[in-house]
């Protein structure tokens, strides 16, 4: 009987353990279901949709830019001329029209480039003035110099470093030479009164 009771208690424990294990597994599954709304499959699908949407937007943007470019070209160049069956005088008139249009566009381009340079100069002057007021000094950008040009300059300056005295003419007149006696005899002012003190 004792064996039978022990066996029943053992079976009861195993059954309770199984129930607890089952409840824990169900709870874990329910937590995963609630917690993991974005499953890997859903994430993959979402990425795919986002890529497709981005590609579509990019294509639309490129088409819009191409259309805008065509519109500007048509505006500047005008509609294409029909050159079939045109005599020489009409052809010259068409060429003159295109030449005038190109001349006008080039002058506008020059004017706009001049305005841009003028504005850039004004901006740089104003930034210098602002930095002067603040007390800051802006280092000017340094230009790149190639090493080859620097080596050329160094070689050129070495050639220039010549003893200039060697090229001077020698004077044969003795009026500029100093006598040996005069070298030894110093004037009184050079002695500083030492001779007077001795006497």
């Amino acid at each position: 009987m004792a064996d039978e009771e022990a066996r029943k208690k053992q079976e009861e424990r195993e059954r309770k353990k199984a129930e607890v294990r089952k409840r824990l597994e169900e709870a874990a599954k329910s937590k995963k279901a609630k917690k993991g709304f974005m499953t890997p499959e859903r994430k993959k699908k979402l990425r795919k949709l986002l890529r497709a949407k981005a590609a579509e937007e990019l294509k639309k943007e490129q088409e819009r830019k191409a259309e805008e470019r065509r519109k500007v070209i048509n505006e500047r160049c005008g509609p294409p001329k029909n050159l079939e069956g045109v005599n020489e005088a009409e052809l010259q008139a068409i060429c003159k029209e295109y030449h005038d249009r190109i001349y006008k566009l080039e002058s506008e381009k020059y004017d706009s480039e001049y305005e841009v340079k003028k504005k850039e100069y004004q901006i740089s002057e104003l930034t210098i003035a602002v930095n002067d007021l603040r007390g800051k000094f802006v280092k000017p950008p340094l230009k790149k110099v190639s090493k080859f040009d620097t080596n050329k300059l160094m070689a050129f300056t070495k050639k220039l470093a010549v003893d200039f005295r060697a090229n001077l003419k020698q004077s044969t007149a003795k009026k500029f030479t100093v006598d040996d006696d005069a070298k030894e005899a110093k004037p009184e002012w050079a002695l500083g009164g030492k001779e007077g003190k001795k006497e």
Side-chain angles (χ1 to χ4, degrees):
M1 240 177 136
D3 291 334
E4 223 175 275
E5 286 181 24
R7 191 172 49 89
K8 282 183 181 179
K9 284 182 181 179
Q10 184 69 24
E11 286 177 4
E12 187 68 26
R13 279 188 216 146
E14 287 178 13
R15 189 177 55 79
K16 285 183 180 178
K17 282 182 184 178
E19 284 179 15
V20 170
R21 196 176 302 131
K22 189 177 179 183
R23 272 189 274 142
L24 288 173
E25 286 176 1
E26 287 176 6
K29 283 181 183 178
S30 65
K31 282 184 182 177
K32 283 183 184 177
K34 291 177 185 175
K35 179 182 172 186
F37 173 72
M38 288 300 289
T39 61
E41 294 84 26
R42 285 184 175 178
K43 284 182 183 178
K44 200 180 242 185
K45 192 173 182 181
L46 183 64
R47 280 192 199 115
K48 191 175 180 182
L49 289 171
L50 287 173
R51 283 191 195 120
K53 182 73 172 170
E56 185 181 319
E57 290 292 324
L58 190 64
K59 191 174 181 182
K60 283 181 183 177
E61 182 71 20
Q62 287 174 345
E63 288 174 357
R64 189 186 59 78
K65 283 184 179 179
E67 183 64 33
E68 191 175 307
R69 187 169 185 264
R70 272 186 246 117
K71 184 179 174 184
V72 169
I73 289 172
N74 287 337
E75 180 184 306
R76 289 183 182 170
C77 297
K81 304 285 183 181
N82 187 11
L83 301 178
E84 292 182 22
V86 177
N87 62 12
E88 191 174 330
E90 290 175 350
L91 193 61
Q92 284 180 350
I94 290 170
C95 289
K96 177 140 179 54
E97 182 184 338
Y98 277 131
H99 178 269
D100 292 341
R101 187 175 288 156
I102 290 170
Y103 181 79
K104 180 183 169 195
L105 290 172
E106 283 294 324
S107 64
E108 288 175 6
K109 177 185 163 195
Y110 178 80
D111 291 342
S112 60
E113 285 177 353
Y114 177 76
E115 284 295 319
V116 167
K117 285 181 183 178
K118 185 178 173 184
K119 299 287 183 194
E120 285 176 353
Y121 177 75
Q122 288 175 348
I123 288 169
S124 66
E125 288 296 315
L126 289 172
T127 53
I128 289 170
V130 166
N131 288 328
D132 285 346
L133 290 173
R134 287 184 183 165
K136 292 181 180 178
F137 176 74
V138 177
K139 293 180 185 176
L142 299 176
K143 292 182 181 177
K144 290 184 179 179
V145 179
S146 71
K147 208 171 190 181
F148 180 72
D149 292 342
T150 320
N151 291 339
K152 270 183 162 178
L153 181 66
M154 294 300 284
F156 182 71
T157 53
K158 284 181 183 176
K159 286 181 185 176
L160 290 179
V162 180
D163 187 18
F164 290 109
R165 290 185 182 187
N167 296 335
L168 294 176
K169 293 182 180 177
Q170 296 291 329
S171 175
T172 56
K174 300 242 178 185
K175 61 183 176 182
F176 297 113
T177 60
V178 179
D179 295 334
D180 292 336
D181 298 335
K183 283 182 185 176
E184 293 175 7
K186 292 184 180 179
E188 286 185 29
W189 58 267
L191 297 174
K194 293 179 182 176
E195 295 291 325
K197 288 182 182 176
K198 287 182 181 178
E199 292 174 3

